[in-house]
Amino acid sequence: MAGPQHTSTGKKILCVGLCNIDIIQICDAYPVEDSDQRCQTCRWQRGGNASNNCTVLSNLGVRCELLASFSDSSTFQFALDDLRGRNIGHEHCVYHRGAHVPVSTVWLSLATGTRTIVHSNPDLPELTLEHFERINLADYAWIHFEGRRNTAAIVQMIQAIRSWNDHLDSRESRVSISVELEKPRRSNLDLLVDGIDVVFVGKDFARYLGHDGARETIEALKGSHPSPYTLICPWGSSDTLAVDGSGHWYSQCTYPPEVIRDSLGAGDTFVAGCIFKLSQGERSLPVVLEFASRLAGQKLAFFGFDGPNPTRTSGSS
């Protein structure tokens, strides 16, 4: 784990989105339909995009906090224990009585390095503006939003931050805003509103919109939603492309390890790596992309998020 790190203002980073439990089966190969076989190992892991972002930021030594909907089920205690063990703040999270725990069942194929995910979230309510308004924006340097189905509420949250920023006397107190468009939901395009600093666009979302590559995706989104945000589009094992608010383009190669062991959360690691460097005041986008790409490549070589010498276990069974 890295030593203590701080944002450029010394304030916290807040990640807003999902927290669920991942049940991960590590298999020699993806299971054949209607078969009965043993896996190599199985583990439980706290998951969800925003939740994973916090894990990576915490491992980098950053003061971070998660804002998410929680189930009050005893099963969810596993995720709460892990949050506490990693010093990830969650004091503003919202507990819902009787709601089911969101669960992702994940198959990791050792033969191909791929991960296949089946997600279940039958009744956990999404966050609302009222939930968001309970936080004190003065405590945060950066707020990152995972694009989810509560698009209208997230837009309201972003507008609340923008209003806060517009009434500040000092830019040093300004809250930076980023969003991730990753799940194939067309309504998430509504998140491309004024006031956002950085937008991350995932390959699955881009393909859902009908785009076949990162450059085509960026050109289309910047054309239909012009605004001076930085747009970053990682494209799996291919190069990441990005364009800054001034229209300058950048390309960043990937750094895959010799053996890919666990691709689950690699994208979340990349996003967190970018936020980490930017929140430290790094102004060079090539430096940011290089750091995040190397960090994601390192993550691929090991199971979970703790690298070769984990200081804690992610949970196993």
Side-chain angles (χ1 to χ4, degrees):
M1 180 183 294
Q5 301 285 338
H6 302 282
T7 62
S8 58
T9 62
K11 298 181 179 182
K12 291 187 290 185
I13 296 175
L14 177 69
C15 297
V16 184
L18 177 69
C19 183
N20 68 282
I21 292 176
D22 292 337
I23 301 175
I24 302 165
Q25 309 266 10
I26 301 172
C27 308
D28 291 329
Y30 184 78
V32 177
E33 185 177 357
D34 200 26
S35 65
D36 185 350
Q37 65 186 69
R38 284 185 176 271
C39 63
Q40 290 278 2
T41 61
C42 176
R43 74 178 191 270
W44 282 33
Q45 181 174 292
R46 176 176 47 80
N49 288 25
S51 175
N52 289 341
N53 296 149
C54 283
T55 298
V56 177
L57 290 169
S58 178
N59 281 354
L60 291 168
V62 175
R63 292 177 61 224
C64 62
E65 181 182 337
L66 174 67
L67 179 60
S69 291
F70 283 177
S71 166
D72 68 347
S73 166
S74 59
T75 306
F76 198 73
Q77 188 64 43
F78 170 84
L80 294 175
D81 290 343
D82 192 61
L83 286 167
R84 295 188 185 102
R86 295 179 181 274
N87 296 315
I88 297 172
H90 54 281
E91 57 269 26
H92 294 104
C93 290
V94 183
Y95 290 81
H96 295 278
R97 185 175 181 180
H100 289 82
V101 179
V103 173
S104 289
T105 305
V106 184
W107 289 271
L108 292 180
S109 169
L110 295 177
T112 61
T114 60
R115 89 285 187 273
T116 303
I117 304 172
V118 178
H119 185 62
S120 171
N121 186 5
D123 58 6
L124 189 68
E126 296 283 355
L127 293 167
T128 66
L129 177 62
E130 180 183 2
H131 299 145
F132 184 77
E133 289 176 332
R134 298 173 188 175
I135 71 171
N136 182 1
L137 290 175
D139 293 337
Y140 307 98
W142 194 291
I143 298 180
H144 173 68
F145 293 93
E146 171 191 347
R148 297 189 54 75
R149 62 178 179 267
N150 58 333
T151 302
I154 297 174
V155 170
Q156 292 177 321
M157 297 175 200
I158 293 171
Q159 290 171 339
I161 303 171
R162 183 186 177 191
S163 177
W164 161 274
N165 286 337
D166 287 345
H167 289 86
L168 290 173
D169 294 329
S170 171
R171 281 193 62 83
E172 290 186 0
S173 299
R174 183 182 181 278
V175 179
S176 297
I177 308 169
S178 59
V179 300
E180 180 188 21
L181 310 182
E182 191 246 0
K183 299 292 189 297
R185 298 189 182 97
R186 188 174 298 274
S187 61
N188 280 172
L189 287 176
D190 294 337
L191 298 178
L192 300 180
V193 296
D194 290 341
I196 292 176
D197 297 283
V198 183
V199 178
F200 300 93
V201 180
K203 180 171 66 173
D204 289 344
F205 183 81
R207 284 179 168 169
Y208 177 80
L209 297 179
H211 306 309
D212 295 324
R215 177 170 288 274
E216 177 186 338
T217 301
I218 292 174
E219 289 175 343
L221 293 182
K222 277 290 189 176
S224 60
H225 296 79
S227 189
Y229 53 80
T230 293
L231 201 158
I232 301 173
C233 186
W235 203 266
S237 60
S238 301
D239 289 0
T240 293
L241 291 185
V243 62
D244 64 19
S246 300
H248 299 117
W249 285 79
Y250 304 91
S251 178
Q252 173 60 53
C253 66
T254 59
Y255 295 98
E258 189 173 324
V259 177
I260 296 177
R261 292 183 172 85
D262 185 359
S263 58
L264 181 65
D268 301 329
T269 300
F270 177 86
V271 169
C274 289
I275 292 172
F276 170 73
K277 293 299 286 186
L278 290 166
S279 69
Q280 286 187 310
E282 178 58 64
R283 295 181 180 275
S284 170
L285 192 53
V287 171
V288 171
L289 298 174
E290 170 87 6
F291 175 84
S293 186
R294 288 191 180 277
L295 190 69
Q298 292 167 7
K299 184 265 169 287
L300 290 169
F302 304 100
F303 295 110
F305 291 95
D306 292 319
N309 297 304
T311 58
R312 62 180 68 82
T313 59
S314 297
S316 60
S317 61

